Amino acid sequence: MAEKNNKLGEKVVLDEHTFVEEVKDYGASLDEESLDQEFDGEKFEWTAEEEQKVRNILDLKLMPFILAMTFVLNMDRTNISNAISDNLAVDLGFTNDGVNTGTLVYSFIFTVFTLPSNAIVKRIGAHLWIPILMSSWAIVTWAHVLIHNFGGFITVRVFIAITEAGFIPACLTYLTGWYKTTELATRLAWFWGIQSFASAFSGLISYGVFRLAGVAGLKGWKWLFLIDGLLTHVVGAIAFFYLPASPFKTAGGIRGKGWFTERQKKIAHTRIIRDDKTKKDQYKRLSLHDVKIAVLDTKLWTHLIITFVGMMSMTPIHAYLPTIIKTSGFSVTDSNLLTAPSYIIGLVFSIIIARSSDKFGHIAFHGLIGTIWALVGFIVLEFLPENAGRWSLYGAALFTASTPSWHGMHIAWMSSNLAPIGKRTLALGAIIGAANINGVPGSQIYKVSDSPRYHRGNWINIGLQCATILLFLFQYFRYTITNSVRQRKWNSMTDAEKKTYSETTKDEGSNRLDYRFRI
């Protein structure tokens, strides 16, 4: 017999047949032999040291490659800001307002195409869908070399949005199949933190790449897109042969003989199911019912609004950081070089804060650290005297752009509080959409008419950060109060009433009376 814990921490006894049926539901890709070995009629147990070894293997073999892929993604996404500082708009015959239009179009198309991505993941697997996407956007990235006017610029921005959109939702779904709820915030902080590092690296390499201007008749910014695109091709090709479908499928290809022993395979798989038994349906296809319960979940909508409002301010400050630095008196190459520290600072503090949230909980309060940081930064940018020296302006811009990202741990928080798995899968796509559709209004915050100090835009950013503080607190207290109310109701029920509820309720997932939200 085997035991599992439900949301209330109560032991649930499962016979061998029940558990094997759950595993079959969880993944059709698992072979029959591994299913037969899952339980031998005895309770399957392991030590904390054994689980740590499995987690270490994942952190050493899987996570670094996930980070390498997202590094390449953000190199391709942020090179546009470096290209802007190298006079992309002037070379193509338009102004920075045209760049804003491109950002708006990109954000809208990106958001639309995040939504169907995880439905495709359910059909072919994230381990295949991710490298397909990478190979696709690699082509579009180096295709920037071929554009000569505003029409060409908009065209490549549309296609790069289409091809990049599904990558992050697919990666999030993939990672939830390998890591437990309490392990995700730190890993997702690395996931978004490495994107910051990629942005820093993009600024560093642009310093050298722009010096290739004129070679082969290409502008410096065209060389940047060409090199980034070719790098993406290489990583995408490796991904086809490196990403495993499941803990039972790590052998073969360039992975060699596999990552785990037979026992470690079972630990890697079973620990995820016991952490959240809804993950037994990890490979089930999405249904219209999943869509319905996701759309009607107001807690999900609150998370989406937090993302939309809270991250909107990052669009203008990151897109125009090299330009703000340049207008304060630095050269183009120095301006791009000076963007690098902001991303490194953001990376370090994002990981420190996320590790704390994994350890102590209270994710909303940890999220407030980054929100208040950004609020202070925009206030300083707004009230800095007009005659301030270039290093003062650079320091204020650097501090603001260094804002630690709460996006990763916020997604981990949302994910841990949404069930069943179908609703969660859709939510992971939707929240990435929300993080990008905010680029539509976000691209209009810093206007040419408001340059170079963008006073009107800074006031908008201040208002957005204040609203985000209130939204974080609202969601925190909503979860806390709901848990308290549900616990009182549950405690007032007899054992017979609890049994009747469990057997007859139409409530499901996170709407059940015996479900407790992670705070």
Side-chain angles (χ1 to χ4, degrees):
M1 303 294 285
E3 293 183 350
K4 296 169 69 175
N5 291 330
N6 65 10
K7 285 288 181 178
L8 295 177
E10 300 166 337
K11 293 292 185 183
V12 180
V13 180
L14 301 174
D15 59 33
E16 180 182 0
H17 173 75
T18 302
F19 186 81
V20 171
E21 285 301 309
E22 287 188 356
V23 175
K24 286 180 179 177
D25 285 341
Y26 175 73
S29 65
L30 307 186
D31 56 44
E32 292 299 325
E33 180 182 0
S34 57
L35 290 174
D36 293 339
Q37 292 174 346
E38 189 67 41
F39 271 78
D40 59 3
E42 301 294 331
K43 184 172 73 169
F44 183 53
E45 296 180 337
W46 60 86
T47 65
E49 290 76 14
E50 286 181 303
E51 184 170 359
Q52 182 63 49
K53 286 182 180 179
V54 169
R55 190 162 48 243
N56 288 344
I57 290 171
L58 294 174
D59 285 342
L60 288 173
K61 294 182 180 291
L62 179 66
M63 199 64 201
F65 193 73
I66 297 291
L67 296 180
M69 293 190 299
T70 194
F71 176 89
V72 170
L73 170 74
N74 221 52
M75 283 280 289
D76 295 339
R77 292 182 68 186
T78 59
N79 54 20
I80 186 66
S81 64
N82 301 117
I84 292 170
S85 70
D86 194 41
N87 299 317
L88 174 146
V90 174
D91 292 339
L92 296 178
F94 54 92
T95 68
N96 280 352
D97 281 346
V99 173
N100 289 344
T101 300
T103 303
L104 185 152
V105 171
Y106 173 91
S107 299
F108 179 77
I109 299 297
F110 189 103
T111 301
V112 170
F113 280 86
T114 57
L115 301 178
S117 176
N118 279 350
I120 299 173
V121 166
K122 291 287 188 177
R123 288 183 175 270
I124 69 173
H127 65 294
L128 292 177
W129 183 231
I130 289 171
I132 289 172
L133 290 172
M134 292 191 72
S135 299
S136 300
W137 90 63
I139 295 172
V140 185
T141 298
W142 59 252
H144 281 72
V145 172
L146 306 176
I147 63 177
H148 301 286
N149 52 40
F150 182 69
F153 173 73
I154 293 296
T155 300
V156 293
R157 299 315 292 173
V158 166
F159 279 101
I160 205 160
I162 292 172
T163 52
E164 289 180 346
F167 175 82
I168 295 179
C171 282
L172 296 180
T173 300
Y174 188 59
L175 287 172
T176 59
W178 295 90
Y179 286 103
K180 293 164 64 173
T181 299
T182 54
E183 299 165 354
L184 272 177
T186 300
R187 275 77 187 178
L188 292 182
W190 274 103
F191 185 83
W192 265 277
I194 207 69
Q195 293 187 23
S196 295
F197 182 72
S199 299
F201 189 73
S202 180
L204 290 172
I205 68 166
S206 67
Y207 180 84
V209 170
F210 288 163
R211 296 176 184 273
L212 294 174
V215 176
L218 298 178
K219 301 289 186 181
W221 59 266
K222 287 193 174 185
W223 273 109
L224 184 64
F225 282 112
L226 178 60
I227 293 171
D228 284 350
L230 294 177
L231 176 62
T232 304
H233 269 304
V234 173
V235 178
I238 295 172
F240 274 110
F241 303 98
Y242 190 78
L243 293 178
S246 75
F248 294 97
K249 299 289 185 179
T250 61
I254 58 178
R255 295 183 301 270
K257 296 181 179 180
W259 298 346
F260 304 115
T261 65
E262 290 302 315
R263 178 172 175 80
Q264 286 174 333
K265 290 177 185 177
K266 291 186 282 187
I267 295 172
H269 169 70
T270 311
R271 75 189 198 100
I272 299 301
I273 300 297
R274 289 188 181 174
D275 175 60
D276 182 355
K277 68 179 183 178
T278 65
K279 290 183 181 179
K280 73 183 190 300
D281 298 323
Q282 187 82 1
Y283 295 101
K284 281 189 175 181
R285 293 182 178 181
L286 296 174
S287 65
L288 288 176
H289 178 68
D290 294 323
V291 176
K292 178 182 176 181
I293 61 176
V295 169
L296 295 178
D297 193 326
T298 57
K299 296 179 291 298
L300 167 57
W301 280 104
T302 304
H303 282 294
L304 298 182
I305 294 171
I306 289 173
T307 301
F308 178 82
V309 173
M311 296 183 65
M312 191 186 301
S313 300
M314 295 300 101
T315 297
I317 190 64
H318 285 149
Y320 285 97
L321 180 59
T323 304
I324 292 173
I325 297 172
K326 185 177 73 172
T327 56
S328 67
F330 294 94
S331 68
V332 171
T333 51
D334 287 344
S335 297
N336 283 279
L337 193 63
L338 287 169
T339 63
S342 68
Y343 299 110
I344 304 300
I345 295 169
L347 167 64
V348 172
F349 279 94
S350 295
I351 293 170
I352 291 173
I353 295 167
R355 286 179 65 86
S356 175
S357 75
D358 266 344
K359 183 176 181 179
F360 299 108
H362 300 288
I363 297 177
F365 293 145
H366 285 82
L368 288 178
I369 296 173
T371 306
I372 294 172
W373 183 310
L375 175 62
V376 172
F378 287 117
I379 289 174
V380 173
L381 281 174
E382 177 60 26
F383 290 101
L384 197 68
E386 294 292 337
N387 61 353
R390 65 175 186 171
W391 286 106
S392 297
L393 181 57
Y394 169 68
L398 173 69
F399 178 85
T400 309
S402 300
T403 298
S405 173
W406 44 258
H407 190 38
M409 59 184 173
H410 178 233
I411 289 176
W413 188 34
M414 179 199 74
S415 178
S416 68
N417 287 328
L418 291 178
I421 194 70
K423 177 166 68 173
R424 181 184 304 156
T425 301
L426 290 167
L428 290 174
I431 199 165
I432 301 305
N436 284 274
I437 194 63
N438 64 23
V440 173
S443 66
Q444 306 303 310
I445 292 177
Y446 283 176
K447 304 283 286 185
V448 172
S449 59
D450 195 28
S451 63
R453 292 292 301 274
Y454 303 108
H455 288 294
R456 184 171 61 250
N458 287 331
W459 275 114
I460 294 173
N461 290 328
I462 290 169
L464 290 169
Q465 295 307 310
C466 289
T468 305
I469 292 172
L470 296 177
L471 287 166
F472 264 125
L473 293 174
F474 170 80
Q475 191 76 327
Y476 173 83
F477 286 111
R478 183 182 185 186
Y479 281 146
T480 303
I481 293 170
T482 300
N483 281 349
S484 178
V485 170
R486 287 181 179 180
Q487 191 64 50
R488 283 200 303 270
K489 289 182 179 179
W490 187 259
N491 291 342
S492 69
M493 296 167 65
T494 65
D495 290 342
E497 289 173 331
K498 292 177 182 178
K499 182 178 180 181
T500 299
Y501 173 83
S502 298
E503 294 174 348
T504 62
T505 183
K506 294 183 179 179
D507 298 334
E508 59 181 319
S510 49
N511 290 328
R512 288 177 58 93
L513 184 61
D514 55 354
Y515 188 99
R516 299 295 176 266
F517 295 107
R518 184 182 178 216
I519 303 300

